[in-house]
Amino acid sequence: MKGYLFHTDDDRREMLRSIGAESIDEIIDGQVPQALQMQRPLDLPPAADEMSLEAELRALAAKNCSVASHACFMGAGAYDHFVPAVVDEIASRGEYYTSYTPYQAEVSQGNLQVMFEYETMVSQITGLDVSNASLYDGGSAATEAVLMALASVRKRNKVITSDAVHPQYLDILKSYLVGIDAELVVVESNDEGTSESLIDAIDDSTACVLIQHPNFFGRLEQVKAIADAAHEKGALVIQSFDPISVGLLKSPGELGVDIAVAEGQCLGNPLAYGGPYLGIIACRKDLMRRMPGRIAGQTTDRRGNRCWVLTLQTREQHIRREKATSNICSNQTLLALRATVYLSLLGPQGLKETAEHCVVKANMARERFAASERFELVHSGPIFKEFLVRDREGDVFGLMKYAAENGVLAGVPIADVSENACGGRYDDCFLVAVTEKRSEAELDRLMEVLDSAGKAESAQLAQTV
């Protein structure tokens, strides 16, 4: 253990002596009530050799459901898109493969160039002027954009959004806005799952409007009309978007949006049980100095050679705390690198083809659900790759469990996304996502399994009677 515990017995005695304690137990007894302390040794199995331990861990891991073992129709913000092998190959190079975010004096020219290329590609897909080197995830990016807007539009404190924005993003936003002078108004989406009704809530005190397109239900929003209404009242518009969708849909910049944010997991990053993921943000040039985090810029050195540098770091580590635009202190360089490699491989044509596959296959799945007696499509309008399904028998969790036991991750129960998600209106519904990876055979398998769930329940009921 000496190699792992670098404090010697003498070190520990000296530390205890300096704080006037006889032992570590004495410190714990002073802080943790006896009733909460375990009065027995940990119930650990005997030590195992490496081969036995590996076998046990593999057996435990085999109990998990994953996209490698199951056909995945789960989405709700994290998606099973195809990741080309070369993304892993390049991202695993020693020069890049670190979770540590280097500071100016430590960051290499290679990493700086990656950040710059990433920012350039984000600007291209968003149609906006400036991007930073990434944020934590889509939810924190949406919230940082709202804080950015509140700081940019003076003497206004109202933030308007819709319950068609991802419920977890709204949870993050509510947490951030506690304690600051801001009013959050969440407007209920209409029966078709879109948010035009929020236009009526925009007034002269509105600082910004946050909208998601395609939205949490997979529906397409009237972003241009909402942006025009917001701008008419002097408010900024923030759009959370799906980076794959811009292969077909107009970019946020083309729709008149001021700040665009996204979850970048779909760009070459595998599903990872909640992250870490990649927050994307981009804005118009005149908002650049309110951008949170760090921006990598291109310049020339004293010899006139092209080089890169971190610039416009309005973070509290670099400037006075009260002048900082955000408390966010890091970025997701490795995942931004993966997104950069992914986008450079696909190019505009590849991104378009991926988006087309998503739309076509999602609509094929939707037709199958529409033909089923047990299920009901909640909305009828156009979608991108996701749609909401109601289980007429109201047993969403039982249905998802049965499907998982039979090799299919059939969807995400709305009631499982967030506490009181969408006001509880869709607690008998689940969200189905279809990416380019899903085959027609898997679509057939999805419906076959869900249909057999109903028959299994009927058979069980008959036996009970």
Side-chain angles (χ1 to χ4, degrees):
M1 295 296 289
K2 186 179 178 182
Y4 300 98
L5 304 176
F6 52 86
H7 289 134
T8 65
D9 290 342
D10 288 341
D11 291 335
R12 282 188 282 275
R13 276 193 290 272
E14 177 61 23
M15 285 188 284
L16 289 168
R17 187 195 61 76
S18 68
I19 62 174
E22 292 293 326
S23 67
I24 293 176
D25 287 341
E26 180 184 329
I27 300 172
I28 294 173
D29 289 342
Q31 302 297 323
V32 182
Q34 283 286 326
L36 298 179
Q37 294 185 30
M38 184 182 290
Q39 303 299 327
R40 60 172 175 76
L42 285 174
D43 184 19
L44 294 175
D49 59 71
E50 182 177 349
M51 191 161 60
S52 304
L53 191 61
E54 182 180 322
E56 184 175 347
L57 291 175
R58 286 186 183 281
L60 289 172
K63 295 181 178 179
N64 288 326
C65 298
S66 76
V67 294
S69 60
H70 289 54
C72 180
F73 294 89
M74 300 178 78
Y79 303 94
D80 182 29
H81 284 287
F82 177 69
V83 180
V86 69
V87 175
D88 290 329
E89 184 66 25
I90 293 176
S92 62
R93 287 179 61 97
E95 301 94 318
Y96 297 126
Y97 201 66
T98 172
S99 58
Y100 174 64
T101 303
Y103 283 73
Q104 176 72 71
E106 306 156 330
V107 63
S108 69
Q109 282 294 296
N111 271 308
L112 284 167
Q113 184 177 359
V114 165
M115 293 181 200
F116 182 78
E117 301 289 354
Y118 164 80
E119 291 169 4
T120 302
M121 291 181 188
V122 169
S123 290
Q124 289 172 339
I125 64 173
T126 58
L128 292 168
D129 303 310
V130 185
S131 163
N132 76 1
S134 75
L135 296 173
Y136 297 148
D137 53 31
S140 60
T143 299
E144 290 288 345
V146 168
L147 297 179
M148 187 177 161
L150 286 168
S152 302
V153 182
R154 294 183 180 277
K155 298 182 179 179
R156 295 180 179 218
N157 70 343
K158 184 183 287 185
V159 178
I160 298 175
T161 186
S162 156
D163 68 358
V165 171
H166 197 303
Q168 292 174 346
Y169 293 9
L170 296 182
D171 288 344
I172 297 170
L173 181 58
K174 289 171 187 172
S175 298
Y176 269 62
L177 294 186
V178 169
I180 68 172
D181 180 26
E183 177 190 2
L184 178 63
V185 177
V186 182
V187 177
E188 191 175 289
S189 53
N190 60 28
D191 292 342
E192 272 303 315
T194 55
S195 308
E196 291 89 345
S197 53
L198 66 72
I199 290 176
D200 295 335
I202 302 172
D203 59 23
D204 293 336
S205 66
T206 304
C208 64
V209 173
L210 169 63
I211 189 169
Q212 185 172 354
H213 166 71
N215 67 27
F216 176 65
F217 309 126
R219 293 297 321 280
L220 307 185
E221 298 276 12
Q222 297 297 318
V223 180
K224 185 69 170 62
I226 293 169
D228 288 346
H231 290 154
E232 191 175 324
K233 294 289 185 180
L236 296 179
V237 178
I238 302 162
Q239 180 194 339
S240 176
F241 71 105
D242 182 326
I244 300 292
S245 73
V246 294
L248 284 179
L249 304 177
K250 286 186 177 179
S251 69
E254 292 175 297
L255 295 172
V257 166
D258 302 292
I259 307 171
V261 295
E263 170 53 66
Q265 175 271 327
C266 58
L267 302 176
N269 293 295
L271 291 170
Y273 304 98
Y277 284 144
L278 169 65
I280 290 173
I281 188 168
C283 68
R284 297 191 332 250
K285 188 176 181 179
D286 58 303
L287 298 170
M288 176 173 62
R289 292 187 178 277
R290 293 289 181 182
M291 178 79 81
R294 49 170 61 180
I295 299 174
Q298 178 175 285
T299 184
T300 54
D301 65 14
R302 62 181 179 176
R303 299 183 183 88
N305 298 319
R306 183 189 185 203
C307 62
W308 296 270
V309 64
L310 287 178
T311 184
L312 293 177
Q313 300 180 84
T314 52
R315 313 188 305 162
E316 64 182 30
Q317 294 98 327
H318 297 96
I319 62 176
R320 285 183 297 166
R321 173 170 289 188
E322 64 272 20
K323 294 289 185 182
T325 56
S326 165
N327 289 326
I328 207 158
C329 64
S330 188
N331 68 339
Q332 300 282 46
T333 302
L334 180 63
L335 304 185
L337 164 69
R338 295 181 65 95
T340 307
V341 176
Y342 178 88
L343 285 170
S344 65
L345 283 169
L346 263 65
Q349 184 61 28
L351 197 62
K352 180 184 176 186
E353 291 175 6
T354 302
E356 286 174 342
H357 279 289
C358 292
V359 171
V360 170
K361 292 180 176 179
N363 279 288
M364 288 170 64
R366 202 156 74 144
E367 289 172 6
R368 285 164 166 78
F369 276 100
S372 168
E373 292 183 358
R374 175 163 179 168
F375 303 109
E376 175 190 2
L377 294 177
V378 179
H379 306 126
S380 60
I383 60 163
F384 175 56
K385 66 182 178 190
E386 213 158 12
F387 55 95
L388 200 56
V389 176
R390 173 168 286 116
D391 177 17
R392 289 192 172 103
E393 298 182 14
D395 184 24
V396 175
F397 284 98
L399 196 65
M400 297 299 106
K401 182 173 182 292
Y402 179 85
E405 290 169 351
N406 287 274
V408 178
L409 302 173
V412 177
I414 297 300
D416 204 27
V417 174
S418 173
E419 186 177 355
N420 197 31
C422 309
R425 285 191 294 158
Y426 302 117
D427 282 356
D428 56 349
C429 301
F430 57 101
L431 207 53
V432 178
V434 187
T435 69
E436 79 284 2
K437 281 183 69 175
R438 300 285 71 85
S439 65
E440 281 201 60
E442 287 174 326
L443 297 182
D444 292 338
R445 175 67 181 156
L446 168 68
M447 299 312 300
E448 179 187 324
V449 167
L450 295 181
D451 184 48
S452 67
K455 292 174 181 174
E457 288 167 3
S458 298
Q460 188 176 16
L461 182 62
Q463 280 185 343
T464 304
V465 173

